[in-house]
Amino acid sequence: MTDAQNTSTHSGFIAIVGKPNVGKSTLLNNMLGVKVAPITNRPQTTRRGIRGILTEDNSQIVFVDTPGMHKAKDALGKYMNEEIQAALSDVDAILWIVDLRHPPTEEDVMVSRTIKDIDKPLIVVGNKLDAAKYPEEALRLYTNLLGEREFGTRTLSAQEHPESLLDLKLQLFSLLPENPFFFDEKSRSDQSRENWAAEIIREEAMKRLEEELPYAVATRVTDWEDRPDGIIEIYCDVIVERPGHKAIVIGKGASKLKEIGQGARKQLEVFLNTKIFLKLHVKVMPNWREDPEALRQLGYE
């Protein structure tokens, strides 16, 4: 083997798709060993395509974590589904994450119809194996939706078994074409620090708000200052649709907003390894989920 062959690099884009709340972001974060995507037990936590970057030796995978595919009820939902289509338009392979605890739903059928005619390597990943009563039967029901399309399969529990993630990672590396690296070897995501922090703050809000309100909340970091004493100051708008929502997010005596802020600050301090001064400001942006201009201002474009 020549020196040129020894030093050649392989890299490519791999889309992670599936219905809402099936474990896509958990899989991505665990694969990278660092948190780049928000995680809650609520569906539709991921709203935009997030790229996570895994580089080892001469190989680099650029994962594209997509929003959960669902029936869009507003302009935000339409944007999220368009993010999935955009992610699939130029990738080297596809991971379809399915929930082995349950048979396919209408949303799973939507995913299968979207990916079955895309001529790229496909791996169907049956997730939540440990909690599944009939995993083999469930996986067969999912793969039957693909008809004659070629695919590979794996089963795992993204949170429980790191060795199964290692096997999947090695399989994905084998699918990469010969390319130069698309990102610096030390990069873990293509997000700006502001967008990443805003997603951490929105995650904490979604965890703590009830009923439909979490889906009417957006976050936007408006200022970031690295102080000489090492403390980072972050100012973030928490966007809601109605004045009544604002009162709920703030809570009695600002208790709910403090709770959200404390949870977000703790996460940020762990990941950034420094003290954080976090200031949250709740603003009303009427019907922002239906307003294309508001969506643009909030980065959903």
Side-chain angles (χ1 to χ4, degrees), residues 51 55 59 80 104 106-108 111 123 133 159 163 180 187 208 227 236 242 253 259 270-271 279 284 298:
R51 289 188 176 95
T55 306
S59 298
M80 291 163 65
E106 185 176 359
E107 292 166 330
D108 292 304
V111 177
I123 301 174
K133 291 184 178 180
Q159 291 183 313
E163 67 276 5
S187 297
R208 291 167 168 77
R227 291 180 6 186
C236 181
R242 298 200 291 267
E259 187 181 329
V270 167
F271 293 122
K279 180 65 175 179
V284 177
L298 295 172

Side-chain angles (χ1 to χ4, degrees), residues 3-299:
D3 290 342
Q5 288 174 315
N6 280 325
T7 58
S8 65
T9 57
H10 293 75
S11 61
F13 290 79
I14 297 178
I16 307 176
V17 301
K19 67 183 177 184
N21 207 29
V22 76
K24 299 183 298 297
S25 296
T26 299
L27 177 69
L28 173 63
N29 290 338
N30 288 346
M31 191 78 77
L32 299 179
V34 66
K35 187 170 187 175
V36 299
I39 299 173
T40 75
N41 59 3
R42 298 179 181 274
Q44 300 173 32
T45 300
T46 300
R47 287 178 175 170
R48 55 168 64 88
I50 295 174
R51 289 188 176 95
I53 303 157
L54 177 64
T55 306
E56 293 187 5
D57 299 324
N58 67 334
S59 298
Q60 183 178 84
I61 300 173
V62 183
F63 291 103
V64 184
D65 183 26
T66 63
M69 185 170 286
H70 64 289
K71 282 191 173 182
K73 297 180 180 179
D74 50 35
L76 175 62
K78 182 179 178 182
Y79 163 84
M80 291 163 65
N81 282 341
E82 288 173 349
E83 282 282 279
I84 302 169
Q85 299 290 346
L88 292 170
S89 65
D90 189 23
V91 295
D92 298 285
I94 301 169
L95 289 182
W96 177 22
I97 314 300
V98 301
D99 188 342
L100 294 177
R101 299 174 302 173
H102 310 291
T105 65
E106 185 176 359
E107 292 166 330
D108 292 304
V109 174
M110 290 174 61
V111 177
S112 69
R113 289 173 177 169
T114 300
I115 63 177
K116 67 186 302 183
D117 295 324
I118 298 176
D119 186 21
K120 298 291 182 180
L122 169 66
I123 301 174
V124 183
V125 179
N127 194 21
K128 307 186 180 180
L129 176 62
D130 285 2
K133 291 184 178 180
Y134 307 104
E136 293 181 2
E137 291 83 349
L139 186 61
R140 185 165 57 251
L141 291 174
Y142 285 105
T143 57
N144 285 346
L145 297 174
L146 296 170
E148 299 300 316
R149 193 204 197 287
E150 293 186 1
F151 56 85
T153 61
R154 283 197 174 274
T155 57
L156 51 80
S157 294
Q159 291 183 313
E160 303 297 334
H161 298 297
E163 67 276 5
S164 61
L165 289 179
L166 175 61
D167 291 341
L168 175 59
K169 179 176 66 174
L170 294 175
Q171 183 177 3
L172 296 177
F173 277 137
S174 73
L175 298 175
L176 298 177
E178 187 170 328
N179 277 320
F181 287 169
F182 294 100
F183 294 92
D184 182 89
E185 295 179 31
K186 295 181 180 180
S187 297
R188 289 294 178 268
S189 175
D190 68 339
Q191 296 181 96
S192 69
R193 62 185 187 179
E194 289 82 4
N195 284 345
W196 172 78
E199 290 293 88
I200 294 291
I201 296 163
R202 184 171 65 86
E203 174 190 297
E204 291 296 331
M206 292 190 73
K207 289 177 181 176
R208 291 167 168 77
L209 298 171
E210 299 177 358
E211 304 304 329
E212 290 299 312
L213 184 53
Y215 310 109
V217 171
T219 49
R220 174 179 58 190
V221 169
T222 57
D223 193 26
W224 181 300
E225 182 180 344
D226 297 302
R227 291 180 6 186
D229 60 4
I231 295 175
I232 298 174
E233 291 188 12
I234 301 174
Y235 296 82
C236 181
D237 287 341
V238 180
I239 310 296
V240 295
E241 291 187 311
R242 298 200 291 267
H245 291 168
K246 179 176 181 178
I248 294 172
V249 172
I250 293 174
K252 185 176 181 180
S255 58
K256 182 62 67 175
L257 190 62
K258 288 179 182 177
E259 187 181 329
I260 294 168
Q262 288 171 354
R265 180 175 53 78
K266 287 178 181 178
Q267 281 210 63
L268 292 168
E269 287 184 340
V270 167
F271 293 122
L272 296 174
N273 194 31
T274 191
K275 290 290 185 181
I276 303 293
F277 172 83
L278 178 63
K279 180 65 175 179
L280 303 181
H281 179 56
V282 185
K283 297 180 65 175
V284 177
M285 189 177 287
N287 298 317
W288 66 264
R289 287 181 294 175
E290 290 285 8
D291 184 345
E293 175 58 24
L295 289 172
R296 188 193 65 77
Q297 292 179 23
L298 295 172

